[in-house]
Amino acid sequence: MPDAAHLLVRKSHRRHAASEVTFLRGLSLNRGRVHEFCGIARRRLALMAAGAMRGPIFWIHPAWMPVHLNPDGMLHLVDPSRFIFIRPKRPEDLLWTMEETLRAGLVPLVVADLPEPPGLIPVRRLQLAAEAGATEGACVPLGLILTPGTGGAPGVETRWSMTPAHGTGKQEAWQLDRLRARTEPVKRWHLSGGKAEPRTDLARA
């Protein structure tokens, strides 16, 4: 098990097109890394990312948290049958479960719906686990942590926030902010249009 000093070491990570997940028309997430989604619509954003991928999805959320995904509401974004829901009963098991799942490298997407942002050392452990899964597993896993409010987990590869921006009509609209990225600037987009094709609706605000 790596010690705390080793976990704080920053290493360069090579980027390859094949190791990226493209979602929402041109925006991408590096596989083998852990990203943070925050904001009121963070779960919807995670479902959009899941819809851009293939294979099973591990969705980890606390057993004591009353929020559950509605399969009927997910259908236009991603097939609910791809999801395996894991509900740890202890707070310390949330990140442990995600870490071990990423390290195994058996599923392409691991999502942890957290009650609060984790600290730097837990995030570094998740990053190292994702890297190990990419090297030793059957696939290159992508890790997503969902956090309330404006997030703020240190050490994540990128941080995104999505919030509703609906108008007076029936059409849905969303504000998408890239709050942090190692190699990209902070930016904002406006997402609107039909639910069935979320990837084609993105326009820079």
Side-chain angles (χ1 to χ4, degrees):
M1 189 71 67
D3 58 26
H6 175 68
L7 291 171
L8 293 174
V9 174
R10 295 184 60 182
K11 300 186 294 182
S12 62
H13 303 282
R14 293 177 298 173
R15 296 182 61 183
H16 303 282
S19 67
E20 294 179 349
V21 173
T22 300
F23 73 116
L24 293 176
R25 204 180 77 180
L27 301 182
S28 62
L29 300 169
N30 288 345
R31 294 177 186 263
R33 305 294 293 160
V34 176
H35 308 259
E36 181 181 18
F37 287 178
C38 58
I40 296 175
R42 60 190 179 277
R43 297 181 183 93
R44 182 186 179 94
L45 185 58
L47 294 177
M48 289 177 174
M53 303 177 67
R54 296 181 179 180
I57 300 155
F58 275 28
W59 191 285
I60 305 163
H61 67 283
W64 64 89
M65 198 159 68
V67 177
H68 301 281
L69 297 180
N70 184 334
D72 292 334
M74 298 164 55
L75 279 172
H76 64 286
L77 296 173
V78 60
D79 183 356
S81 67
R82 295 171 53 200
F83 285 72
I84 299 171
F85 293 100
I86 304 172
R87 302 183 62 197
K89 296 182 179 180
R90 302 186 305 171
E92 58 267 31
D93 290 338
L94 290 171
L95 294 178
W96 179 87
T97 302
M98 185 178 195
E99 181 180 338
E100 293 303 309
T101 307
L102 288 170
R103 182 175 288 109
L106 298 177
V107 295
L109 178 59
V110 183
V111 182
D113 196 348
L114 304 177
E116 61 184 6
L120 177 59
I121 290 179
V123 172
R124 285 296 299 148
R125 294 180 66 91
L126 294 176
Q127 299 287 22
L128 291 173
E131 293 172 17
T135 302
E136 304 172 7
C139 64
V140 181
L142 171 68
L144 296 178
I145 56 174
L146 312 185
T147 57
T150 57
V156 292
E157 183 77 359
T158 62
R159 179 179 303 115
W160 304 77
S161 172
M162 194 163 87
T163 55
H166 311 317
T168 55
K170 295 183 178 180
Q171 189 178 73
E172 293 184 341
W174 312 87
Q175 177 179 301
L176 178 64
D177 292 282
R178 183 170 60 205
L179 302 177
R180 180 187 189 278
R182 292 182 184 276
T183 59
E184 302 289 346
V186 173
K187 284 188 179 181
R188 173 173 293 175
W189 292 265
H190 184 71
L191 176 65
S192 63
K195 295 181 181 179
E197 298 181 2
R199 291 191 224 171
T200 65
D201 305 323
L202 198 64
R204 188 170 299 174

